[in-house]
Amino acid sequence: MERILKQRDRLLAESARLIGLTSTVVAFLLLVLGGMTLPALLLALPFFALLAGAQVRMGQTKAVEWPIATIVLGLAAVILLRCEAAGAFTGWTGLAGTAELPLPLADAMRVLTSGAIAAAAVLLTISLGRMLVLVGAFAVTMIVVVVVFAGQTLLGLAALSTIAGWSGLVAAGAVLSAGLLRAARRVSSIGRAHRSERQASETEAQRRQGARLLHDTVLATLTLLAHSGVGVSRDALRRQAGDDARLLRQLRLSASPLSVVSGPSADDEGTSDGATADPGDSLESVRQRFERLGLEVSWHGATSVSLPPQKLDRFLLALGECLENVRRHSGVKEAHVTITDDETTVRALVTDNGVGFEPAAVPAGKLGYRESIVARLTEMGGNARVFSAQGSGTTVVLEVPR
């Protein structure tokens, strides 16, 4: 919002300066082209120069003094021109007092009152205090117009043009100011909506991540306990429960929950919870974990995975979930994992000769494949593909970009 207000003030100031300088130049050219003598032009020139200087400063600063200075100097120039026409400086300008103002001189005075002076009104519309100054400045300008054009046939035209110039520029300033404020409010509203949406997305992502981690670890352990740990030793259950406890502690402390399979085990001495194992140890810990649970894993290809920590963590979690699905659903006690990599991608193939399944028949509410494997890899630009059929075993291909 503050930035929008600064842009509004800058736009109004530049508009006022451009209008004011253009009107001042036009008024002076009318004097030159209207046949005003050189002494008269030299007498008027300092007033026009000071007026132009005030208009330049009016466009460079927010201070209210410069719009006021512009109005005062502009009115001084108008009064000077009227005095010249009345013969007050006959010895200097060669003008004799006349009953009627010369048309070029009258036009120059009207341009000054309706443009050069009125330009300050653009900057006097942005606050209540400045609006009070605006009202006073307009009243003074109209008084000067009535006085200098008194007894002239051009009085009505001069008053009308002055009113029109001030009204138009006040309206322009008000419209610009109000329009920019409306835009600022809309931008602010869009920003709030964006922040709310982003916060909701982040909350949902955290919820999904927590659900995946719990599904992949704690719920798997509880499932083992529910089946009395059939096929799994007491020591394996104890170590698995220790890993789960470490994960829950990390989640409770709002730490970045490192993979249970990639971090140190609960029994490791001298290793902090937040430490990250090297890639080779991480793959080995996956193998050891599932061997403890009664699944024999045969490893082929690369013996380590070179990925950034976050990607490695998610890759190992997805790989662990694939092996967990083999252990729980395939009906066999052996799985094969083949890891390959190149300059752009790391791939893992998890194969078993179990009962297989129909991927399209997996219920939408199941977290194991869709969330813990596919969604986890998709979020970091990877993908997962499954090839399976009833009675023909299963192959899952995991791909993660480096």
Side-chain angles (χ1 to χ4, degrees), residues 52-269:
Q55 290 164 343
V56 170
R57 288 295 297 157
M58 182 174 63
Q60 295 174 342
T61 177
K62 290 175 59 177
V64 72
E65 290 82 359
W66 292 108
I68 294 175
T70 296
I71 295 169
V72 171
L73 289 170
L75 292 177
V78 170
I79 294 172
L80 172 69
L81 294 177
R82 184 65 182 92
C83 291
E84 288 178 352
F89 308 106
T90 303
W92 284 86
T93 66
L95 291 174
T98 57
E100 198 67 36
L101 288 172
L103 186 59
L105 184 61
D107 289 341
M109 294 166 65
R110 287 192 296 108
V111 170
L112 286 174
T113 58
S114 62
I117 298 173
V122 175
L123 284 174
L124 298 176
T125 59
I126 60 177
S127 67
L128 179 59
R130 293 195 175 206
M131 290 291 287
L132 296 176
V133 174
L134 171 64
V135 172
F138 175 71
V140 172
T141 302
M142 289 304 300
I143 291 173
V144 171
V145 168
V146 171
V147 171
V148 299
F149 282 93
Q152 304 291 314
T153 57
L154 296 175
L155 173 60
L157 180 60
L160 184 61
S161 61
T162 301
I163 293 172
W166 277 77
S167 300
L169 291 173
V170 168
V175 168
L176 282 175
S177 181
L180 288 172
L181 287 177
R182 281 196 300 270
R185 285 192 289 269
R186 290 179 181 177
V187 169
S188 178
S189 176
I190 292 173
R192 288 194 299 272
H194 173 70
R195 286 191 295 272
S196 298
E197 183 178 354
R198 183 179 62 185
Q199 184 176 7
S201 299
E202 291 174 351
T203 302
E204 175 63 15
Q206 291 173 357
R207 185 196 66 78
R208 292 177 66 183
Q209 181 187 26
R212 292 169 190 163
L213 289 172
L214 292 174
H215 172 273
D216 298 350
T217 55
V218 178
L219 292 181
T221 303
L222 292 176
T223 301
L224 280 174
L225 294 174
H227 291 83
S228 302
V230 175
V232 182
S233 67
R234 288 178 176 270
D235 182 63
L237 281 175
R238 187 180 303 111
R239 296 189 66 180
Q240 185 67 26
D243 288 340
D244 294 344
R246 181 169 58 83
L247 171 66
L248 292 175
R249 184 164 59 252
Q250 288 173 335
L251 291 174
R252 179 175 58 82
L253 296 175
S254 299
S256 176
L258 298 176
S259 169
V260 169
V261 297
S262 65
S265 68
D267 297 334
D268 290 342
E269 295 291 338

Side-chain angles (χ1 to χ4, degrees), residues 358-370:
E358 292 294 339
V362 177
K366 291 289 187 180
L367 288 174
Y369 178 70
R370 286 192 171 90

